[in-house]
Amino acid sequence: MKILNYGSLNIDHVYQMPAFVRAGETLSATDCQLHTGGKGLNQSVALARAGACVFHGGKIGADGIELKDFLENAGADCSFLRIDPDVPTGHAIIQVVPSGENCIIIYGGTNKQITEAEIDETLAHFEAGDLLLLQNEISNVNYLIHRAHEKGMITVLNPSPITAELLEYDGLSLLDWMIVNRGEAETLAGSGSGEPIDVIEALQAKYPRASIVMTLGKRGSMCLSRGQRFYSRTYDYAKRVDTTGAGDTFTGYFLAGLAKGAPLDKCMDMASRASGLSITIAGAANSIPNLETVLTAEPIELQ
Ligand code: RIB
């Protein structure tokens, strides 16, 4: 099975803040760094570091060559990564506060210039049984789902960030897998709050074709697939520094396990361990651990 991740690549401008800026307020950052990011790129890095064979489809500008280098060094194949010298690469402005939580603004740039013709050209290299992974930071996501489904590819969506446009995609009902956090699950299901099992079952009722993985922050994650339920706890390794990219790490490691044919509870456990490690380091893609570290790191009990 080949994995194609058609997704965003961003230059992350990360600001360490004493608190999130509120409307009308001006605050000084205590530090500022440039990092490699984008939900798409992060998930390809996680897939590659987990040992999966991943092709990254997407687009950068002339200012984004370092993102391609980063992906290739991580082990992702960039044959389907296009460069448009006339459009700036996507970027993100990220505030991180001392608790490790973040707030993110994204500017699409080249991520929003992906055309149907480019998608057709790329998908021609894939076939039935291959897997397509998507997030919601690029143009033509609904088109991608339809074309990949027609080819018999396994379609996986991490619908992040949720937008009004995404909620209208008729392709959502064709998906084979959804990987969501609790807030995304509630919005997609259109149901209010409740116990996590109620939320995931409401989402499953709306999209009966899809298997669903729902992450629950410190409460772990749960999965509903073909009528069976699976759960995973979370793991702590050190003080939480930066949660940016933790969800992407989870998604990449989960799918790497799925592609290898591992049992679903094992896929979730490895994904939880990898995302637990990722939040102990600042940054997005650079904080994603390799497989050896995930297999050998000893979790601790945080006070
Ligand atoms: O999920 C984290 C990512 O979201 C960041 O790397 C940023 O680029 C945004 O896409």
Side-chain angles (χ1 to χ4, degrees):
M1 175 201 288
K2 287 191 287 189
I3 300 175
L4 171 64
N5 178 16
Y6 220 128
S8 60
L9 304 95
N10 289 333
I11 299 166
D12 287 353
H13 299 246
V14 183
Y15 299 87
Q16 300 298 329
M17 302 295 295
F20 292 127
V21 182
R22 291 175 301 183
E25 192 177 44
T26 302
L27 280 181
S28 277
T30 54
D31 191 19
C32 167
Q33 291 188 342
L34 287 183
H35 281 297
T36 301
K39 294 188 198 308
L41 179 149
N42 297 339
Q43 292 179 22
S44 281
V45 169
L47 276 155
R49 289 192 177 154
C53 168
V54 57
F55 295 81
H56 190 94
K59 198 184 272 185
I60 51 174
D63 56 343
I65 299 301
E66 284 180 16
L67 303 182
K68 178 172 186 260
D69 294 342
F70 192 102
L71 267 177
E72 286 178 334
N73 286 336
D77 187 307
C78 291
S79 313
F80 306 111
L81 180 61
R82 291 176 169 78
I83 301 172
D84 182 341
D86 299 324
V87 180
T89 301
H91 75 260
I93 294 173
I94 305 180
Q95 298 180 49
V96 179
V97 294
S99 66
E101 291 170 297
N102 63 52
C103 265
I104 304 180
I105 297 172
I106 51 171
Y107 174 75
T110 39
N111 295 317
K112 290 290 187 183
Q113 303 290 323
I114 290 163
T115 66
E116 293 184 358
E118 290 165 1
I119 289 168
D120 291 343
E121 215 175 280
T122 300
L123 288 183
H125 297 268
F126 294 85
E127 56 199 31
D130 289 341
L131 187 150
L132 175 71
L133 168 62
L134 298 166
Q135 311 77 30
N136 192 35
E137 288 188 341
I138 61 169
S139 46
N140 281 312
V141 167
N142 197 40
Y143 183 81
L144 267 155
I145 298 171
H146 278 275
R147 293 294 85 78
H149 175 75
E150 278 166 18
K151 288 180 77 85
M153 292 177 75
I154 300 161
T155 53
V156 185
L157 177 66
N158 167 222
S160 199
I162 295 243
T163 54
E165 194 189 6
L166 177 132
L167 295 174
E168 302 298 319
Y169 292 164
D170 55 1
L172 297 181
S173 60
L174 302 175
L175 291 167
D176 297 296
W177 283 88
M178 286 186 185
I179 302 179
V180 290
N181 63 32
R182 183 184 169 140
E184 290 160 353
E186 285 179 2
T187 305
L188 280 169
S191 72
S193 53
E195 286 302 310
I197 190 65
D198 301 326
V199 175
I200 199 169
E201 282 184 347
L203 188 57
Q204 173 85 98
K206 188 159 175 193
Y207 300 105
R209 181 188 165 84
S211 293
I212 299 167
V213 180
M214 181 169 74
T215 55
L216 297 162
K218 289 178 182 162
R219 294 179 70 183
S221 57
M222 62 170 59
C223 170
L224 262 189
S225 179
R226 299 169 195 262
Q228 283 190 288
R229 295 178 190 178
F230 304 88
Y231 298 89
S232 173
R233 53 165 285 197
T234 54
Y235 294 92
D236 292 309
Y237 293 89
K239 185 177 176 293
R240 158 199 284 231
V241 171
D242 183 354
T243 56
T244 312
D248 301 328
T249 305
F250 184 99
T251 296
Y253 263 83
F254 176 82
L255 288 177
L258 196 72
K260 281 181 214 158
L264 289 179
D265 50 356
K266 176 79 177 158
C267 298
M268 292 168 74
D269 187 69
M270 288 293 283
S272 288
R273 288 173 188 270
S275 67
L277 282 161
S278 77
I279 65 178
T280 64
I281 297 171
N286 62 294
S287 71
I288 299 170
N290 62 32
L291 186 58
E292 178 67 15
T293 306
V294 177
L295 289 171
T296 54
E298 284 293 337
I300 57 166
E301 291 302 324
L302 275 188
Q303 298 308 311

